[in-house]
Amino acid sequence: MQYEDILYEARDGVATITINRPAVLNAFRGKTCEELIHAFNTAGWNKAIGVIVLTGAGDRAFCTGGDQSAHSGNYDGRGLIGLPVEELQSIIRDVPKPVIARVQGYAIGGGNVLATLCDLTIASEKAQFGQVGPKVGSVDPGFGTAYLARIVGEKRAREIWYLCRRYTAAEAMAMGLVNTVVPHDQLDAEVAKWCAEILERSPTAIAIAKRSFNADTDNIRGIGGMGMQALSMYYASDESREGVRAFNEKRKPDFRKHQI
């Protein structure tokens, strides 16, 4: 596959996958998801690769979720909502290699979900985390909600989704969403350090450990599938479309007049 929306580099046992859409704060469209799935499959089953790093191009954003300019009732690709996001989330969990989220800026919306799903998250002090779904007529059911609650607890997860606030890297670390926070200019060195330590460990033992961790939460995949079915119907509503329109028109949405 010729990549247009991402960059892929494999070196010294580490595969780095970079969402390369900095003009839209590394928001993803259908094509981006397809390329990410392909890249994770390429790295995940290559025995020469011991760890995968997921990041975003530039200094401003890791990923800000679905590209609203590619969303008009559905996104611009395949799947229930026009994005094969279920496959993308699943492949991050299914590859038998640790996946590290290198978060240098905004990890918002679907980007926050990706950072949550990665095995480990290393953040710059400049990083920000949070959800926006209910602000733009969307939600990420399953891994975006139920799995998040497993990590940060029910009360905090509900706060994140209901209020759509932003959280600093230090706040994200305090709630368990991030493994470590470092000064911005030390981020790459810290990621390289963690990768080097992982590469010294038994790859088979790590693969078994990852499968074991996943086994405890894999029921959430079914919750997500059911939730995505509901989300596809919600996207067809005037209530959801009001969120997209308001975002693109840079105004506050009036959801209540369109409430289903």
Side-chain angles (χ1 to χ4, degrees):
M1 178 181 285
Q2 292 292 318
Y3 297 142
E4 180 181 338
D5 287 9
I6 71 169
L7 303 173
Y8 181 88
E9 180 185 32
R11 188 192 319 178
D12 299 327
V14 178
T16 301
I17 300 171
T18 305
I19 302 173
N20 188 30
R21 307 189 77 220
V24 289
L25 298 178
N26 297 319
F28 50 73
R29 55 181 176 169
K31 183 177 182 61
T32 319
C33 291
E34 299 286 7
E35 293 182 4
L36 286 168
I37 291 166
H38 185 275
F40 271 103
N41 270 309
T42 299
W45 305 102
N46 181 349
K47 289 189 176 182
I49 299 299
V51 59
I52 301 169
V53 175
L54 176 64
T55 191
D59 278 344
R60 294 187 64 197
F62 167 75
C63 175
T64 55
D67 184 351
Q68 295 302 296
S69 67
H71 181 19
S72 57
N74 252 3
Y75 285 96
D76 62 342
R78 64 181 172 87
L80 280 170
I81 61 169
L83 290 173
V85 68
E86 292 171 88
E87 289 179 44
L88 175 57
Q89 292 173 352
S90 291
I91 195 65
I92 291 172
R93 286 170 57 88
D94 289 347
V95 291
K97 316 286 170 79
V99 180
I100 297 176
R102 173 196 175 274
V103 183
Q104 80 284 27
Y106 297 120
I108 304 296
N112 188 78
V113 177
L114 291 180
T116 301
L117 276 170
C118 289
D119 297 280
L120 303 165
T121 300
I122 301 173
S124 156
E125 289 177 337
K126 294 184 178 180
Q128 290 188 43
F129 298 80
Q131 281 302 333
V132 294
K135 290 175 68 175
V136 296
S138 185
V139 67
D140 194 322
F143 288 120
T145 50
Y147 186 65
L148 177 68
R150 288 290 192 100
I151 293 175
V152 304
E154 285 275 352
K155 292 289 187 179
R156 185 67 83 175
R158 290 168 193 260
E159 173 192 316
I160 290 169
W161 274 100
Y162 297 170
L163 277 67
C164 298
R165 291 174 174 171
R166 299 270 179 93
Y167 300 89
T168 66
E171 290 171 329
M173 183 173 172
M175 68 175 79
L177 195 57
V178 167
N179 291 91
T180 192
V181 178
V182 296
H184 190 71
D185 62 358
Q186 296 177 26
L187 181 60
D188 287 332
E190 189 69 16
V191 171
K193 175 184 172 184
W194 285 56
C195 288
E197 288 189 42
I198 290 169
L199 288 169
E200 292 178 352
R201 312 298 178 236
S202 164
T204 302
I206 287 176
I208 294 169
K210 180 167 180 174
R211 299 262 186 227
S212 182
F213 287 128
N214 287 350
D216 184 52
T217 54
D218 221 33
N219 63 302
I220 296 173
R221 198 185 309 242
I223 296 170
M226 185 168 57
M228 288 294 177
Q229 191 72 54
L231 188 62
S232 68
M233 293 184 284
Y234 172 50
Y235 277 169
S237 72
D238 288 337
E239 182 178 342
S240 175
R241 289 177 176 177
E242 166 64 8
V244 178
R245 283 194 299 265
F247 178 87
N248 289 327
E249 294 169 8
K250 296 180 169 55
R251 61 174 174 82
K252 185 178 290 189
D254 185 358
F255 288 117
R256 299 215 169 263
K257 75 176 182 181
H258 300 289
Q259 187 173 358
I260 299 171

